Amino acid sequence: MAYVVTENCIRCKYMDCVEVCPVDCFYVGENMLVIHPDECIDCGVCEPECPAEAIFPDSDDKAADWAELNRTYSQQWPNITRKGEAPEDAEAWNGKPDKKALFDPKPGEP
C-alpha cells in the first residue's frame, strides 16, 4: 500500500508533505507533486501535512484515478527532498474542481 497525490495538488503544489517524508518518495512536476508507490512506506505522515488535502491512501476511492499517474511520473520527474515555494496563486486554486485538464507533464525544479 502507498499514498497517492491527487487532482487538488495541481496548481497548488504546496510541498509541505515533502518536508515530513522519511523516505523522500516525492517527485516534482511543473505544477504538481507525485509519490513513487514503490518507495512509499505507507507511514501516512504526509497526508495531514497537505494544505490542499490532495493526498490519500491508494485504497481510498479518491486515489483510484491518480495511482497510475503517480507511478508513471515518479519515474520521469526529479526527486524532491526539501520544501520549495508554492505558486503565488496556490490559494486561489485550492479546492477548484476539474483541474485534471491543467495537469502539466513537464518535470519541475527540485
Side-chain angles (χ1 to χ4, degrees):
M1 195 155 114
Y3 278 78
V4 175
V5 181
T6 62
E7 181 174 28
N8 204 45
C9 184
I10 297 172
R11 303 282 312 252
C12 289
K13 200 170 114 178
Y14 286 109
M15 297 181 267
D16 297 57
C17 52
V18 172
E19 288 280 296
V20 298
C21 180
V23 294
D24 298 331
C25 66
F26 281 89
Y27 291 78
V28 62
E30 185 65 29
N31 68 356
M32 169 177 194
L33 301 174
V34 294
I35 295 172
H36 194 301
D38 297 335
E39 295 173 1
C40 179
I41 60 171
D42 196 31
C43 67
V45 296
C46 59
E47 185 179 19
E49 293 300 317
C50 179
E53 298 179 358
I55 300 174
F56 297 93
D58 62 3
S59 59
D60 190 304
D61 289 344
K62 295 175 187 168
D65 292 341
W66 294 89
E68 191 57 36
L69 184 137
N70 275 245
R71 178 175 293 284
T72 299
Y73 287 96
S74 65
Q75 295 172 9
Q76 298 175 22
W77 291 347
N79 184 249
I80 184 169
T81 60
R82 296 189 185 271
K83 179 180 176 181
E85 291 295 319
E88 287 184 23
D89 60 350
E91 193 58 40
W93 284 100
N94 190 359
K96 289 207 178 199
D98 303 320
K99 295 196 291 183
K100 189 169 188 173
L102 301 173
F103 171 76
D104 190 336
K106 291 189 297 251
E109 293 290 321

